[in-house]
Each structure stands twice: as structure tokens, then as C-alpha cells.
Amino acid sequence: MRVFFTRLNSLIIILICFFFIAPSTSFDTLTGTQILTTNQTLLSENQTFVLGFFRGSNTNYYLGIWYNNINPQTIVWVANRDNPIDNSKGYLKIGDNGNFVLLNSSGNPAWSSNQTSAKNPVLQLLETGNLVLKDSEQSNNYLWQSFDYPTDTLLPGMKLGWNFDTGIEKHLTSWKVTGEDPSSGDYTFKLDYRGLPEIFLRTNQTIIYQTGPWNGERFSGVPEMDTDTHSIVFSFSDDAHGAFYSFSIGNASLLSRLTVTSDSDGELQRRTWIESSESWNKFWYKPADQCDHYRECGPYGVCDNNASPVCTCMKGFSPKNPQAWNLRDGSGGCVRNTGLNCSTDKFLHLENMKLPETSSVFINKSMTLDECGSLCKRNCSCTAYANIDIRNGGSGCVMWIGQLFDMNVYHTDGQDLYVRLAAADIGSTSSSKNRRAVLATGITLSALVLVLGVVAICYLRKKRQQSSRGDERNMEDLKLPMFDFDTLTMATNNFSQDNKLGEGGFGIVYRGRLIEGQEIAIKRLSENSGQGINEFKNEIKLIAKLQHRNLVRLLGCCIEKNEKMVVYEYMENRGLDSILFDKSKNLLLNWEKRFNIICGIARGLLYLHQDSRFRIIHRDLKISNILLDIEMNPKISDFGMARIFDKDQTQENTWLYVS
């Protein structure tokens, strides 16, 4: 009889399981009268996601959610990742306290949701991949949801960040071994809401990557977010109730996810399912290059992945440890060339930047950029400032106090950053918007006013001086901007020795600044120089007809009061000799830069000798005639001794200086 009742009880349990839940059900809900065993699943309404049990690389069982009909199985959430059940006898049920609980083969809880006050609790798997617990099937009030407890994956609609009302923090944690062991791994992706919100990828407590602050459109250090072609919209909310990052997809049929993996020593990946190839496409990932590594170039260092080495110092800064810097270890960062003086300091305008880390900043969301700059100027502890939001021309104020870390420069995208510098180091760079406008206007006026106005004035003056000018009367046919003597005198502070750049047998070269702000270099020929009017005209004609990135660019000339002057573009790093033979500077010329300089000189000579309209031999090429711009690009100068060859001429007596 006892055996009969035992078999009857077993039969009743089997019948209950048969009638209330099938071995592989397509239902998306679980009620208080049902259980979910290890061989059963819930399927979302449109069959995108599955809730069920899976086995790890060992014999342990886990409750999780994965994509339906995608091979290999792609799991996006795990309930009991750190407390698995050890065999297939476990099951899921709604508990007496209105929560749901995962029980092991002994009937003991292995994992459970928080307690609720639901009278008719229902567990439902939504089409979004969100597993929710609510009071009755018709209710839209979620008492618990898996989206509040992400594991290693962020799905569209999920939020990453902090709920200040409940104290719940949502972050991603990698699997111990990706695809094999779902227990909590060493890599986390967490939002830090101190300062401006930014997200950090860590291994244990060590930061290995940070996104840069949110700028209204994207994270400052993730320019790839601007080039997303999969109808993905990124958003960020930051108010008194919380700070959250999330994303959504306009195309409902598109599957996309953000995942933290233990691959490649920790990686943040955005993957999209490509139906045609039946595979997950890794659309972008971080860290992707050397510049993504946290604080790669130390304090005040700027990382440029297109440079070699990648670490550079801003204008006004030098490597703290030059020896390590030349060995491509930029972690020591940069130090100021000149100490700050609060009353006279200015600001260096940097473009296309990943903003520095913002864990210690001042924030005012209502300030304009000009107001922000004025406040930073008055605050002697302020080292940099920028807009918080780049939309609609920019708004808000963020000011950095102390050292600047983790800055990158991009060739596109990025943001404007204004860094405090000593006035002596700022050079021609200005920090104000008006200054930039004046400079831009000045460049335009240089092309218009100098061509139309100054040429006309010089023409009239030359007409009055024809009796004493001889061959100079023919200079008007050059069709070049003609600077008057007074303009160049003012630009050089009356040819002050402080503006002297160099001197040779031809005369002196001065640095000048036009009233519009444009910097220029002025070669002022001495009366006893070997270059007469013919050589002068020769140089002007040659340079005016030559256009190449490795030849110095002519801006104009001046022939007045027995003066002969040539106006060139200003080259920030002057002559190659000034760096090559200076022990304190030649360390700037690593082998990569030396090779680039050699190639640039070769390109310029090839253009002169073969590709230009005229076949030209320089005849006075030496390292002092190789000028370097701010990026160390070489440009050949001084064409006074150059000779034009006929196209079919191959020989001529000439010489080449290499000293």
C-alpha cells in the first residue's frame, strides 16, 4: 500500500508538470502554480530571447537568458553566476514571499530575487530580454527586473549607472572565462558620476581604460560613437534621481549588445548580429590601441595614435623624463617650461581632444564658454576649462583643478580644450573666441587687403620712386602681395633684436606678427649682401611659382626705401641646424622623425628637379636652409642662388652644402 501511494504521488507530480508547463514551452510567463525545471524554457513573445538552464564548462548548472536561434549560444544574463547548482535536479519557482527562487536538488535556495508584496506574482520574459516580476499578468509595474542586475552584457534599453533613490548601482562584470565560466570575472565597467559622468574599465581595482566624459552626444574618448551606422542612439540622463547611460536601436530587427569580456586582458566590445554571415560583428572595441590605455602619457601628456612615438607634450611643456620618453615610455608625462603667473597667464586652445579625466573638477551647467574662461583665469588653481555639452554651439563649464590626465588628440571629432600656460609659452596661440575670430579674419584680409590694397599702394609709391629704382620698377609684374615698410617695421617692433631668428651673408631674418595676429618670417637683405636685385627677383619669381608641402611658402615682399625684404610663412621650429646641433633639443629628433625629415627633403628636391613647372637646382642646400614647422615637417628655403634649367638640360656647374 505504501508503495502504491508513493507511486501515486509521483504520478500526480508528473501530471501537474505536464499540464502546467511543457518540457520546452513557448510561454513567456511563469505563475505561482508553476515551476521551471532544467529541461524547460520560457520564450519571449516574438521568440527573440530564451530563459532557461545551461551548463558551464564544468557540470554546474546556471539559470540564464540567451538569444533564440543564434548559434553559438549567446548568453546575455545569468542569475546564479556565483552560486551554481551542481546537477540537473534544480528548478525555478515563485516563492511564498512573492519573490522567485532557484532551488537545488535538495530543495535549498541557491539564488533568489528580492522579496515583494505581490499578491499574484507573475514572472515574465519580455521581448527586450528583460525578465520581470510583477503583480498579475496585466500589470506594468515591475517589482523586480533583471535589467537592474546586469551581468556582462548591456542590451538596448538597459541602463548602466546609479539610481540615487534606491541606491542600486548597475555595472557590467566579465565572465571568469568568456564562453566557459560565467562566474564573476576580474573586469568591470562602472560609471563614475563624480565630476562629469564617465565610465571606467577596470581589472579588479586597477583602471585600464576610461571613456572620457559625456559631452551631450557621446563619450569624449569614443569618437566611434559618431560613426555608428546601425541606427543606434546613445543617451545619457543625469539628474537628482540618478545618472545612467543607455542605448536604443531604431531598427527592431537589429540585434546589438555591449559586453565586457575577459578576452585580450579585458575588453569592452560592441557587437551586432549580421544575418547574412550568421555571425556577431565586432563593430568597435576598447582598448583598441595604445592611446586607449589609461594615463598612457602621464600628467599633461597628449596621446596621438597616428604619431610615433604616440606620446607628445603640449606647447609650453617638455618631457619630465627625456631619457624614458625617447625610449617610448611616456608614463612620466610632461612638465611646464615656465612657471605660472596668475595675473598674466593665458590659455592654449587645443582642438579635437579627448577631455582629461574629470574626477576632480568644478562644474557649472549654466555658464557660457567665455564666462567659464573668465572664471578659470581668476582662479589661480584652474589649469584648464571646456564646455560640458558640445550641442548647439556648446554650453556649460567644466574647470580642472590640478594636473591633467588621459588626454588624446584625434584628427576628427574630439572637443575644444583650453589649457593654462605662462604668457611666455603661449606664442601666437590665444584662448579667447574673439582672438580666434580676429585671426581667421586676419588671414582672409591678408588675402584680400594685401592683394588689392597694399599692391596698389606699393604701385603708386614705386611710380614716384622710378628714377631711383632702376630695375626695381619691374617688380610689379610679379603679381604678389606687396607689404609696405611701415607694416613690417611694426610687425617686428622696429626690427628688434628680440625678434631676430637668424643671420647670414644675405642679412637678417626676423619673426613678426601682423596686426591681424598672423605670424610671419621676414628676410631683410643687407645692402652689402651678395644678393642684388636680380637675385632677389629670381628668388621671388621662383618661390611664387612653386607650390609644394616641402617648400617654404612665400606670403609677399617689400621693395621700399632701398630695402629688399621677403615675407615667408613662420616656421615654429626654425632651422634643422638649431635642433640637430643643440644637445638639449636633438633628443626631439628620434629615428622616426629623422626619417620623416629626410623623406620630406627628398620629396621637395624631387619636385624642384623633376616635377615642378621649371627644372630648378637649389645650389645652396644646407641644413640651415631646411626649416621645420610645428609638427617637424621639413620645408626647403632660400632660393636666391637657385638656377632654372631647360627641360632637356642635364648638366651645370653647381654645388651642394651638406654641413
Side-chain angles (χ1 to χ4, degrees):
M1 184 67 68
R2 180 178 299 175
V3 173
F4 172 77
F5 282 110
T6 300
R7 291 180 177 176
L8 180 62
N9 289 337
S10 299
L11 179 61
I12 292 172
I13 293 174
I14 293 172
L15 289 173
I16 291 174
C17 291
F18 178 80
F19 283 109
F20 285 96
I21 191 163
S24 181
T25 179
S26 60
F27 296 120
D28 62 354
T29 58
L30 187 74
T31 67
T33 59
Q34 297 173 316
I35 64 172
L36 188 73
T37 63
T38 54
N39 65 338
Q40 297 170 325
T41 61
L42 295 183
L43 194 60
S44 64
E45 183 178 8
N46 294 330
Q47 302 185 10
T48 302
F49 289 98
V50 178
L51 171 72
F53 291 86
F54 68 94
R55 192 166 69 175
S57 57
N58 45 37
T59 59
N60 292 331
Y61 279 78
Y62 302 88
L63 177 69
I65 299 172
W66 58 88
Y67 290 100
N68 187 34
N69 296 327
I70 285 184
N71 188 28
Q73 185 184 50
T74 304
I75 298 165
V76 298
W77 182 78
V78 185
N80 58 322
R81 65 186 311 186
D82 293 315
N83 195 16
I85 54 179
D86 56 7
N87 56 47
S88 61
K89 302 298 183 182
Y91 58 95
L92 178 70
K93 61 171 284 188
I94 293 178
D96 298 333
N97 296 319
N99 61 347
F100 66 99
V101 59
L102 178 63
L103 303 174
N104 59 24
S105 58
S106 302
N108 297 319
W111 176 89
S112 68
S113 66
N114 57 316
Q115 295 183 7
T116 72
S117 57
K119 296 180 180 179
N120 299 298
V122 173
L123 190 66
Q124 184 178 16
L125 178 62
L126 303 181
E127 184 60 22
T128 59
N130 192 12
L131 182 65
V132 301
L133 182 66
K134 55 186 183 178
D135 195 352
S136 80
E137 293 188 32
Q138 288 72 37
S139 174
N140 291 322
N141 181 27
Y142 302 154
L143 305 174
W144 181 97
Q145 58 179 333
S146 62
F147 271 19
D148 281 340
Y149 303 92
T151 50
D152 70 322
T153 300
L154 192 74
L155 295 174
M158 291 181 72
K159 294 181 178 180
L160 189 72
W162 289 82
N163 186 322
F164 300 147
D165 296 331
T166 63
I168 294 177
E169 189 244 344
K170 308 174 185 181
H171 66 270
L172 304 182
T173 303
S174 70
W175 284 27
K176 194 73 173 179
V177 180
T178 300
E180 298 181 14
D181 184 354
S183 60
S184 297
D186 296 330
Y187 300 97
T188 59
F189 193 53
K190 293 185 178 182
L191 174 73
D192 189 339
Y193 60 85
R194 298 173 301 168
L196 292 180
E198 47 194 334
I199 312 181
F200 292 85
L201 179 63
R202 293 179 172 89
T203 172
N204 296 317
Q205 296 302 314
T206 302
I207 299 173
I208 58 179
Y209 166 74
Q210 64 109 348
T211 62
W214 181 260
N215 61 21
E217 294 182 352
R218 63 184 183 276
F219 289 108
S220 175
V222 193
E224 295 91 340
M225 295 173 74
D226 252 4
T227 59
D228 200 305
T229 59
H230 293 139
S231 304
I232 297 179
V233 178
F234 305 97
S235 60
F236 196 91
S237 60
D238 183 14
D239 53 34
H241 300 287
F244 295 107
Y245 161 72
S246 63
F247 71 96
S248 59
I249 301 179
N251 185 352
S253 64
L254 186 69
L255 303 180
S256 183
R257 58 194 173 94
L258 183 71
T259 307
V260 173
T261 77
S262 55
D263 298 337
S264 305
D265 295 325
E267 199 170 82
L268 179 69
Q269 302 176 353
R270 176 171 296 287
R271 291 184 176 268
T272 301
W273 178 254
I274 306 300
E275 190 69 37
S276 59
S277 61
E278 296 187 345
S279 63
W280 287 102
N281 174 47
K282 188 160 66 172
F283 186 72
W284 58 261
Y285 61 97
K286 297 290 183 177
D289 53 53
Q290 190 174 348
C291 286
D292 282 335
H293 296 158
Y294 182 63
R295 296 189 176 185
E296 176 69 19
C297 298
Y300 296 112
V302 177
C303 199
D304 182 355
N305 195 53
N306 292 307
S308 181
V310 296
C311 289
T312 59
C313 289
M314 294 179 288
K315 185 175 183 178
F317 290 82
S318 299
K320 182 177 182 180
N321 186 341
Q323 184 176 5
W325 197 271
N326 290 329
L327 294 174
R328 307 199 174 203
D329 178 6
S331 58
C334 306
V335 293
R336 296 184 183 275
N337 296 335
T338 307
L340 296 176
N341 183 330
C342 191
S343 61
T344 61
D345 292 338
K346 297 184 179 181
F347 289 89
L348 175 68
H349 178 197
L350 301 176
E351 298 178 308
N352 295 325
M353 297 293 294
K354 171 187 178 181
L355 295 187
E357 180 187 340
T358 65
S359 56
S360 178
V361 293
F362 164 83
I363 295 172
N364 186 309
K365 294 184 178 181
S366 63
M367 277 187 172
T368 65
L369 185 65
D370 288 341
E371 291 171 338
C372 188
S374 297
L375 180 61
C376 186
K377 170 69 175 175
R378 297 193 302 271
N379 186 338
C380 301
S381 299
C382 175
T383 52
Y385 70 94
N387 272 139
I388 293 176
D389 196 322
I390 65 173
R391 294 173 297 180
N392 302 318
S395 63
C397 172
V398 53
M399 292 181 2
W400 283 264
I401 309 298
Q403 293 180 320
L404 308 178
F405 289 97
D406 211 45
M407 294 179 289
N408 291 3
V409 62
Y410 306 113
H411 287 269
T412 58
D413 301 313
Q415 292 180 238
D416 290 342
L417 175 68
Y418 300 84
V419 179
R420 194 182 207 107
L421 278 188
D425 291 332
I426 202 68
S428 63
T429 306
S430 173
S431 64
S432 72
K433 187 178 296 184
N434 290 336
R435 179 66 173 172
R436 299 198 309 271
V438 169
L439 181 59
T441 304
I443 294 173
T444 303
L445 289 177
S446 295
L448 296 175
V449 177
L450 290 177
V451 172
L452 300 176
V454 178
V455 169
I457 294 173
C458 289
Y459 175 79
L460 293 175
R461 289 185 177 183
K462 286 192 296 176
K463 293 296 286 183
R464 291 195 300 266
Q465 300 172 2
Q466 284 181 352
S467 59
S468 61
R469 300 291 292 271
D471 290 334
E472 298 175 16
R473 73 184 64 184
N474 296 323
M475 289 299 293
E476 65 188 75
D477 64 0
L478 295 178
K479 299 181 181 179
L480 278 173
M482 302 294 293
F483 291 82
D484 61 74
F485 182 80
D486 293 338
T487 297
L488 299 185
T489 300
M490 184 182 299
T492 59
N493 193 20
N494 198 22
F495 299 101
S496 166
Q497 288 294 307
D498 293 337
N499 287 351
K500 182 177 175 181
L501 294 176
E503 185 174 3
F506 55 82
I508 301 175
V509 178
Y510 295 91
R511 177 179 181 176
R513 181 183 297 172
L514 299 176
I515 192 171
E516 299 89 355
Q518 182 181 8
E519 283 199 307
I520 55 176
I522 304 164
K523 185 167 89 170
R524 186 185 190 189
L525 274 69
S526 62
E527 292 184 2
N528 59 354
S529 71
Q531 189 176 48
I533 189 65
N534 289 330
E535 286 89 354
F536 181 76
K537 285 188 63 177
N538 185 36
E539 179 168 11
I540 296 298
K541 287 182 177 180
L542 285 178
I543 303 177
K545 295 177 181 179
L546 299 176
Q547 297 291 333
H548 192 272
R549 60 176 172 166
N550 294 116
L551 301 183
V552 70
R553 184 163 58 94
L554 175 68
L555 301 180
C557 62
C558 175
I559 304 175
E560 188 178 331
K561 299 181 180 180
N562 294 323
E563 294 276 0
K564 297 188 292 290
M565 289 184 279
V566 187
V567 181
Y568 299 103
E569 62 178 322
Y570 176 68
M571 305 294 285
E572 290 82 353
N573 284 307
R574 305 186 184 184
L576 177 59
D577 59 328
S578 66
I579 294 181
L580 195 61
F581 298 135
D582 187 329
K583 292 183 179 179
S584 64
K585 295 181 180 179
N586 63 14
L587 294 177
L588 297 173
L589 297 179
N590 55 39
W591 285 115
E592 183 74 19
K593 281 190 172 62
R594 290 173 188 249
F595 180 75
N596 290 339
I597 290 172
I598 292 170
C599 290
I601 297 171
R603 283 193 298 265
L605 288 176
L606 181 64
Y607 173 78
L608 290 173
H609 293 180
Q610 177 175 303
D611 297 332
S612 64
R613 293 174 58 191
F614 306 97
R615 178 170 292 174
I616 299 171
I617 303 300
H618 190 288
R619 301 208 306 167
D620 192 23
L621 187 63
K622 50 190 176 184
I623 59 173
S624 61
N625 289 339
I626 305 300
L627 305 183
L628 302 173
D629 67 12
I630 194 170
E631 296 179 348
M632 291 292 187
N633 296 312
K635 299 194 178 186
I636 301 171
S637 68
D638 281 349
F639 288 79
M641 297 298 296
R643 180 178 177 89
I644 299 178
F645 276 40
D646 294 332
K647 283 295 182 181
D648 56 353
Q649 186 177 353
T650 59
Q651 293 185 0
E652 177 64 64
N653 292 327
T654 184
W655 57 88
L656 172 69
Y657 287 110
V658 294
S659 60

